[in-house]
Amino acid sequence: MFRKASLALAATLIMGDAAWADPIEGNWKTQAGDTAAIGGSGSFSITLKSGKYAGKTIGSLKATGDNKYAGSITDPANDKTYAGKATLSGTSLKMSGCVFGGLICKSQTWHKL
C-alpha cells in the first residue's frame, strides 16, 4: 500500500511541476515564420532558434499579471532595443515594441508550437 501511495505522490509531483510552468514558456512561431524559445523563471528570455538570426537573444519580459508581460524587445536586424510588452491569449502571443513612451508601436502575433 505504501508503494502505491509513493508512486501516486511521485506522479502528482511530476505532473504538478509541469502545471506550474508559466504559459508563456515554450517554443513560438514568429510572424516571420522563425522559431523563438521563451524560458526562464521570474524573468523570461526570448531567443531565436531558427532563421537568419538563430541563437540571438531578442528580449526579456517579466509577468505583470493576467497573462501580460513587460520588458524589452530587440530588433535582431538592427540591434535596437524597445520597450516591449506581450499579451497571451490561448495559443497566441501578441508582441509589441514601442518608442516615445508607447506613442509609436509595432506589433506582431506569435503562435505556440
Side-chain angles (χ1 to χ4, degrees), residues 24-62:
I24 198 171
E25 291 181 284
N27 292 316
W28 296 85
K29 184 172 207 166
T30 69
Q31 195 163 302
D34 299 329
T35 300
I38 301 177
S41 126
S43 180
F44 301 98
S45 178
I46 307 166
T47 304
L48 291 174
K49 294 296 181 185
S50 69
K52 184 177 180 179
Y53 302 103
K56 201 169 210 182
T57 299
I58 61 165
S60 178
L61 300 170
K62 288 188 178 189

Side-chain angles (χ1 to χ4, degrees), residues 43-93:
S43 180
F44 301 98
S45 178
I46 307 166
T47 304
L48 291 174
K49 294 296 181 185
S50 69
K52 184 177 180 179
Y53 302 103
K56 201 169 210 182
T57 299
I58 61 165
S60 178
L61 300 170
K62 288 188 178 189
T64 59
D66 293 333
N67 291 327
K68 294 183 188 242
Y69 304 83
S72 61
I73 304 290
T74 300
D75 182 341
N78 61 19
D79 287 327
K80 289 187 180 180
T81 300
Y82 304 94
K85 60 184 178 178
T87 303
L88 183 63
S89 178
T91 59
S92 295
L93 184 66

